Amino acid sequence: MEFSKWHGLGNDFILVNGSKETISNYQQLATQLCNRHFGVGADGLVIVSPGDSADFNMRIFNSDGSEADMCGNATRCVARYVYENGMTDKTTITLSTLAGIITPELLFRDAVLETVKVDMGEPRLTRKKIPMTGNPDEQVINIPITVNNSVYNVTAVSMGNPHCIIFVDDVESINLTVIGPLLETHSFFPRKTNVEFVQVIDRNTVRMRVWERGAGITQACGTGACATLVASVLNGHTERQAVIKLDGGDLYVEWGADNHLSMSGPAVEVFRGKFLL
Ligand SMILES: N[C@H](CCC[C@H](N)C(=O)O)C(=O)O
């Protein structure tokens, strides 16, 4: 099976052309391929195939085999992948995901790719749409959750996938390996959740670290960066555009007047190969 290895700020993915490869068990393939000792190694597996309602269809599987509704960093990688492999000559590309249609745009300067800007759609803010237990029509802004005998004030935002955002004074002091999985699997989140700890730097800059649902600590999370900006605005911490400083680098996110989130950042192809198992 041929694959291409990509990353968006160190959040790394194995891309497979679904129209060239026959896959019987996606979950098993994802855990095999994403294993960093016995496989290729990645945070996720992305299957790209021709779209019905969009230019392409993308399915995203976390390294634990679970299927994700949406993946921001992977959309940037898929956009470059389909363009640079001659699968399209469009530079604004529609991708069908379980979370809806997502539209990345390749931005060039003097014929050199400068960045990939993605229309990530609208945030979902009610418990029903996160999803989160409790009153379905209620928003979750700065609500206390007790975990491990500590209280965490949570803001919940969905970008098609669930995010639990917590503001702290120093993200480096958070033991993400311990608290991340406890919040990820908390009973308040019936489909589990991604977990972001955020330190506000100024009104246009935040530092964020992430424990991802189904993947653990990653270097960056695109949907998490968008959810972080929404939570930062809702809590009065930032303006509607900000630099989200992640372990793997910076994402530039804006929450537009049209209520759409726009995320801009890099996408890098590292190597190609053939999986033999
Ligand atoms: N682990 C996430 C999917 C990948 C999201 C992240 N890598 C991104 O860039 O948005 C979930 O299960 O919702």
Side-chain angles (χ1 to χ4, degrees), residues 75-179:
T75 59
R76 301 199 309 275
C77 298
V78 168
R80 277 200 75 176
Y81 171 77
V82 296
Y83 183 79
E84 293 179 355
N85 284 281
M87 298 161 74
T88 183
D89 57 5
K90 298 169 74 173
T91 56
T92 299
I93 300 154
T94 54
L95 303 176
S96 173
T97 72
L98 292 179
I101 303 288
I102 302 299
T103 309
E105 180 182 6
L106 301 171
L107 298 177
F108 295 89
R109 181 185 295 270
D110 303 330
V112 175
L113 183 75
E114 187 173 48
T115 191
V116 186
K117 183 174 183 180
V118 187
D119 177 348
M120 296 285 285
E122 300 185 52
R124 295 74 154 175
L125 299 177
T126 59
R127 287 176 182 266
K128 178 180 177 184
K129 294 193 173 178
I130 300 298
M132 204 168 168
T133 56
N135 175 351
D137 300 321
E138 185 182 67
Q139 293 189 359
V140 178
I141 300 174
N142 213 28
I143 302 290
I145 293 185
T146 300
V147 176
N148 236 16
N149 300 320
S150 296
V151 178
Y152 296 90
N153 290 318
V154 159
T155 298
V157 177
S158 168
M159 290 305 298
N161 59 348
H163 295 273
C164 167
I165 296 109
I166 298 150
F167 293 95
V168 295
D169 294 334
D170 175 10
V171 290
E172 309 306 338
S173 69
I174 300 298
N175 189 340
L176 206 44
T177 308
V178 170
I179 192 61

Side-chain angles (χ1 to χ4, degrees), residues 11 13 60 62 68-74 161-162 194 212-215 220-224:
N11 184 204
F13 307 98
I60 306 127
N62 291 308
D69 321 80
M70 181 35 203
C71 177
N73 287 323
N161 59 348
N194 299 283
E212 282 199 35
R213 176 181 64 171
C221 180
T223 51

Side-chain angles (χ1 to χ4, degrees), residues 24-42:
S24 54
N25 186 324
Y26 289 99
Q27 285 75 11
Q28 182 186 344
L29 183 67
T31 53
Q32 270 189 309
L33 278 170
C34 294
N35 187 298
R36 295 193 188 275
H37 300 287
F38 299 101
V40 177

